Amino acid sequence: MMRKNCLQVPAELLNALHKAKHVVVFTGAGVSAESGVSTFRDALTGLWARFDPLQLATPEAFLADPALVWGWYEWRRQLLLKAQPNPAHHAIVKLAQRVPKLTVITQNVDDLHERAGSADVLHLHGSIFNPRCFTCTQPYVLTHAPEMSHEHALAPPICSHCQGMIRPGVVWFGEALPQVALEAAFTAAENCDVLLSVGTSGVVQPAAQIPALALRSGAWVAHINPEAMPCRQSRELSLVGAAGQILPLLLQD
Ligand code: BV8
Ligand code: ZN
């Protein structure tokens, strides 16, 4: 029974979602864009405007200038504390209530999926809310929101255990991804019926392999992005638009 075709969602995708036993939602910075959180590629502001995030999000940059890098993350954390989940995050929670199994895999370091109600989110690039000691990896409990009226450097806290520097709990370029989360993400991609790739430019490896893995395993893959994404196979679709506009359309009966 072909489903009625709505605004931008092809009927075959709605059918596949309706029949799916396991759906994966794979997100990048674009899913948080409508929460007012700038994506990684957006021009960095203020103090960091002169830096390329690819240079700043590295252990080398942190060791070279700990206050510059820690200040950047505290500035971003403060903005995230003020941000709210958007209709995209909420639609993912609603979709999870309608399918037998739904796995959220995110490249993002924010907690907006969790705050919207998603459970067991796989964070491939860590979390900005779980800092740890750079030297002894002892977790560090952030007790307050940073008071930063403007972007500025901020010396990182010192580890009470070994006097080392506290670092953000994110995966920097050149650092290995958390093995357990990555393996779980690959397994989910290989065993799902539909994978929705939401708000990612598909540049950063090895996360960028996830949609291709699902496609190779016979799943439908839909890219949801204001930029049209290249589609190589018949079961790969590009839904051009904002996540907060398109994801709610997938919920229609
Ligand atoms: C590793 C945490 C090895 C930090 C991040 C050369 C070739 C290939 C690979 C490499 C290479 N040189 C180096 C590498 C490896 C490197 C890599 O991939 N580099 C790339 C840049 C070439 N990868 C690594 O280093 C990884 N580690 O390989 O380790 C290893 C192995 C064993 C032992 C030791 C080492 C680590 C990668 C993780 C880096 N950390 N984040 C932080 O956040 O500060 S990744 C960072 O970039 C973000 O987390 C994000 O996930 C990612 C991409 O950022 P963005 O571009 O902003 O986001 P996104 O791509 O999602 O783009 C936004 C999209 O949203 C756009 O498409 C836009 O159109 C869309 N959009 C906008 N608005 C909306 C929207 N979509 C929907 N709705 C909207 N409203
Ligand atoms: Zn320590």
Side-chain angles (χ1 to χ4, degrees):
M1 176 260 286
M2 287 308 276
R3 310 181 66 74
K4 70 175 172 42
N5 204 338
C6 71
L7 196 57
Q8 282 149 322
V9 183
E12 58 264 53
L13 177 63
L14 288 175
N15 273 326
L17 276 170
H18 198 71
K19 287 187 295 202
K21 292 195 177 32
H22 183 186
V23 173
V24 166
V25 182
F26 172 63
T27 65
V31 79
S32 301
E34 289 154 276
S35 299
V37 178
S38 63
T39 67
F40 207 71
R41 300 283 176 277
D42 284 353
L44 291 179
T45 55
L47 174 73
W48 301 289
R50 64 183 187 278
F51 294 99
D52 174 344
L54 295 181
Q55 262 67 47
L56 220 46
T58 63
E60 293 77 19
F62 180 71
L63 291 173
D65 191 337
L68 178 81
V69 175
W70 179 258
W72 179 42
Y73 281 90
E74 282 296 87
W75 173 252
R76 288 168 62 188
R77 183 168 75 90
Q78 169 184 249
L79 296 178
L80 280 169
L81 288 170
K82 294 177 189 150
Q84 295 302 324
N86 68 61
H89 297 105
H90 294 300
I92 293 165
V93 174
K94 287 202 183 76
L95 187 59
Q97 291 156 358
R98 301 198 173 184
V99 297
K101 182 177 165 93
L102 186 139
T103 307
V104 179
I105 304 169
T106 190
Q107 302 173 84
N108 300 336
V109 296
D110 64 49
D111 62 350
L112 294 173
H113 282 303
E114 288 85 350
R115 285 169 52 195
S118 288
D120 308 325
V121 176
L122 295 173
H123 279 267
L124 299 184
H125 296 157
S127 164
I128 201 167
F129 297 104
N130 301 331
R132 63 176 188 270
C133 175
F134 191 90
T135 309
C136 74
T137 75
Q138 168 105 343
Y140 179 80
V141 178
L142 288 160
T143 47
H144 67 290
E147 292 308 320
M148 293 174 83
S149 53
H150 60 285
E151 297 100 319
H152 58 73
L154 191 63
I158 296 302
C159 171
S160 56
H161 192 66
C162 76
Q163 310 313 309
M165 291 187 291
I166 300 303
R167 56 159 289 169
V170 301
V171 178
W172 276 326
F173 289 97
E175 293 188 321
L177 275 62
Q179 206 47 39
V180 169
L182 188 59
E183 311 251 321
F186 282 157
T187 304
E190 286 163 349
N191 293 288
C192 69
D193 305 297
V194 177
L195 181 138
L196 305 175
S197 179
V198 186
T200 182
S201 58
V203 169
V204 175
Q205 296 295 348
Q209 294 165 30
I210 300 256
L213 204 53
L215 206 53
R216 256 203 315 279
S217 310
W220 280 86
V221 169
H223 300 280
I224 295 164
N225 194 311
E227 290 164 21
M229 305 297 274
C231 293
R232 291 158 292 243
Q233 297 179 30
S234 60
R235 297 166 77 92
E236 190 173 16
L237 305 164
S238 173
L239 306 183
V240 181
Q245 308 287 321
I246 291 190
L247 283 172
L249 296 176
L250 302 184
L251 295 170
Q252 54 187 295
D253 277 328

